[in-house]
Amino acid sequence: MIDPAALALAALAGVVGGAMNALAGGGTFATLPALIALGLPANIANATSNVALLPGAGTSAWAYRDELGPVAGMSVKLLAVITFAFGLVGSLLLVLTPSETFDILIPWLLLFAFAVMVFGKRAADWLHARVTIGRPTLLITQAFLGIYGGYFGGGVGLITTAVYGLLANIRPRELFAIRTLMLAVANFAAAFIFIGFAMVWWWACLPMLVGSIAGGWLGAVIGKRLSPGMVRAWTLLVTGATTIVFFVRAYG
């Protein structure tokens, strides 16, 4: 019999992860540690987290639907198609990655997401003072975001925010809608692969999924009222702490 406390932890992590994705991204920083604490192997935990956060991402994307618009002149549909196609590629890469290898990779993927969040704005300001980014660069970058989102997903919302700011000079608050939609599309693509290859542990996924729906709606409501500084501070705190925990786990 499954421990009710384990189900409660999964549901609570889903609420927090769904809210984080709606606010600034990084919901995996809440759900992945919880699933690993519940005994799931790292790659299975990542796949389970991905599927569990999908409805919450969809809820948030729907809440922000009135704010959707082109990015640097490129349509939302085009960006979504690219994200879905390459999300499938990334999720297939995870299927082929042994759990032991993924354990070693996780801290570095988290550190990458954290660094992008910390330095993204300054890098964007520096870059746009010197060069102009064209449409092909943004399309190629979107393909890599799709692969990363399908493979790991941790911090992909944060990375998308930073990259769009870097390449298209768009500020974080203006990206809530498009970033949340791209997150949902990448998760949707990966869900096909992870479910098909039986990488989802449903006893943990279902309560987390329900929690993520509530958290996604709640985060979108809060996100329309919070200042960008508060959202950034909270996200940095959770991202940094989780990164440290995973480095200690892998190399401590």
Side-chain angles (χ1 to χ4, degrees):
M1 184 175 178
I2 299 172
D3 184 359
L7 299 178
L9 175 60
L12 179 60
V15 172
V16 176
M20 287 181 65
N21 278 343
L23 288 170
T28 303
F29 287 83
T31 56
L32 186 61
L35 290 170
I36 290 177
L38 291 173
L40 279 66
N43 56 348
I44 298 297
N46 187 64
T48 301
S49 169
N50 182 292
V51 174
L53 288 174
L54 174 58
T59 301
S60 299
W62 179 257
Y64 287 126
R65 65 191 182 280
D66 294 337
E67 299 181 18
L68 281 173
V71 176
M74 289 187 292
S75 73
V76 172
K77 289 183 179 179
L78 175 60
L79 293 172
V81 168
I82 293 172
T83 302
F84 184 86
F86 285 92
L88 292 174
V89 174
S91 55
L92 283 171
L93 289 175
L94 180 65
V95 172
L96 298 173
T97 303
S99 182
E100 297 79 8
T101 303
F102 194 67
D103 275 333
I104 297 172
L105 289 175
I106 284 178
W108 299 101
L109 293 170
L110 294 174
L111 181 62
F112 171 69
F114 180 68
V116 168
M117 184 63 182
V118 172
F119 299 109
K121 182 180 182 302
R122 276 173 280 182
D125 292 341
W126 182 90
L127 185 66
H128 282 279
R130 292 162 176 79
V131 298
T132 300
I133 301 299
R135 177 187 176 103
T137 302
L138 198 53
L139 289 174
I140 293 170
T141 303
Q142 189 64 44
F144 280 105
L145 286 171
I147 292 173
Y148 180 86
Y151 181 79
F152 178 51
V156 68
L158 308 176
I159 295 170
T160 299
T161 298
V163 167
Y164 282 6
L166 189 66
L167 300 183
N169 203 23
I170 305 175
R171 295 307 174 190
R173 180 58 188 88
E174 300 169 26
L175 291 169
F176 274 15
I178 186 67
R179 184 213 66 230
T180 304
L181 178 62
M182 292 305 108
L183 172 67
V185 170
N187 281 11
F188 185 58
F192 281 98
I193 303 300
F194 297 151
I195 293 173
F197 282 87
M199 293 184 68
V200 178
W201 287 17
W202 291 105
W203 69 264
C205 181
L206 291 178
M208 184 170 282
L209 184 152
V210 173
S212 78
I213 294 174
W217 176 82
L218 180 63
V221 171
I222 295 173
K224 293 180 178 181
R225 293 168 172 78
L226 286 182
S227 68
M230 291 180 65
V231 172
R232 176 178 169 82
W234 164 253
T235 306
L236 282 176
L237 176 64
V238 175
T239 306
T242 306
T243 301
I244 293 171
V245 168
F246 273 89
F247 264 106
V248 172
R249 177 176 174 271
Y251 300 102

